[in-house]
Amino acid sequence: LSMDKCIALALEHAGRSESDVKNIRAHHDYEDGISSYEVYFSDDNYKYSYTVDANTGKITEMDKERIKGEYPSDNNAADDIGLDKAKSIALGDANLKEDQVSFTKTESDIDNGIHQYEIEFHTDKIKYDYTISASDGSILDKETDNFVQ
C-alpha cells in the first residue's frame, strides 16, 4: 500500500479527517521483516501514533496521548471514580467484557500532580494499555499492540 493510503487508514481509525489534524508525518519502516508505515499526527487535544502494515493495511500499533498541559486539575479525592469504574471505562472503550480479558496491571498513580489509574489487560491477540483520569473518567492515554503469533 502507498504511504498516503496508510495515512488515510490511520486517520479513519482515529475518527479524524485530514482537515481535523495537523503535523501529519509518516515514514516507511521494516520491523521483524514486515514492511510498515509509522504515521503521526495531532489535533488540538491529542497526539496520535500508528503503525500500519504496508501489505495488508492492518493497524498493528496505536497510541493516543493527551497533549501535555491539557489535563484538568483533579486533586480532590471526593471526585475519585475508583478503580472498578476505571476498569469498566477501559473495557467499554475496547468493546470487551471482563471475562474476555486478563488484567496485567491495575493501579492508582499520581503523574504530574494528576491522580489517574493505569489499566493494562490483554486478549489472546491484543494488549491494551489505558490511563484513566481518576477525577472524571476521561481516557488520558491508550495504546493497543497486537501480539506476535
Side-chain angles (χ1 to χ4, degrees), residues 46-139:
Y46 294 95
K47 294 186 300 186
Y48 300 83
S49 170
Y50 281 86
T51 303
V52 182
D53 186 306
N55 296 312
T56 66
K58 181 178 180 181
I59 293 168
T60 57
E61 291 183 39
M62 178 267 182
D63 182 33
K64 176 182 175 183
E65 183 177 339
R66 190 179 292 242
I67 296 172
K68 185 176 179 169
E70 297 294 322
Y71 298 108
S73 175
D74 61 352
N75 295 326
N76 185 348
D79 293 335
D80 189 342
I81 63 166
L83 182 59
D84 288 339
K85 180 68 175 173
K87 286 169 59 175
S88 175
I89 290 167
L91 287 168
D93 184 74
N95 201 25
L96 295 166
K97 296 185 180 351
E98 194 161 353
D99 63 358
Q100 296 175 295
V101 304
S102 295
F103 284 94
T104 54
K105 181 178 182 181
T106 55
E107 68 181 34
S108 176
D109 189 23
I110 297 183
D111 188 19
N112 294 325
I114 297 167
H115 185 199
Q116 56 196 25
Y117 290 101
E118 295 180 14
I119 313 292
E120 293 179 10
F121 55 91
H122 64 85
T123 64
D124 291 341
K125 297 181 180 181
I126 301 175
K127 177 185 176 231
Y128 299 85
D129 184 353
Y130 282 85
T131 303
I132 309 288
S133 169
S135 66
D136 63 8
S138 63
I139 297 171

Side-chain angles (χ1 to χ4, degrees), residues 3-89:
M3 183 184 304
D4 287 342
K5 177 63 176 172
C6 290
I7 290 171
L9 289 168
L11 288 167
E12 179 182 338
H13 185 270
R16 315 305 288 156
S17 68
E18 200 166 330
S19 63
D20 294 334
V21 300
K22 53 191 172 193
N23 304 322
I24 299 173
R25 301 182 332 269
H27 69 270
H28 189 255
D29 195 13
Y30 281 98
E31 194 169 306
D32 299 325
I34 298 171
S35 176
S36 63
Y37 284 98
E38 303 286 330
V39 180
Y40 307 93
F41 53 90
S42 61
D43 60 20
D44 290 337
N45 297 310
Y46 294 95
K47 294 186 300 186
Y48 300 83
S49 170
Y50 281 86
T51 303
V52 182
D53 186 306
N55 296 312
T56 66
K58 181 178 180 181
I59 293 168
T60 57
E61 291 183 39
M62 178 267 182
D63 182 33
K64 176 182 175 183
E65 183 177 339
R66 190 179 292 242
I67 296 172
K68 185 176 179 169
E70 297 294 322
Y71 298 108
S73 175
D74 61 352
N75 295 326
N76 185 348
D79 293 335
D80 189 342
I81 63 166
L83 182 59
D84 288 339
K85 180 68 175 173
K87 286 169 59 175
S88 175
I89 290 167

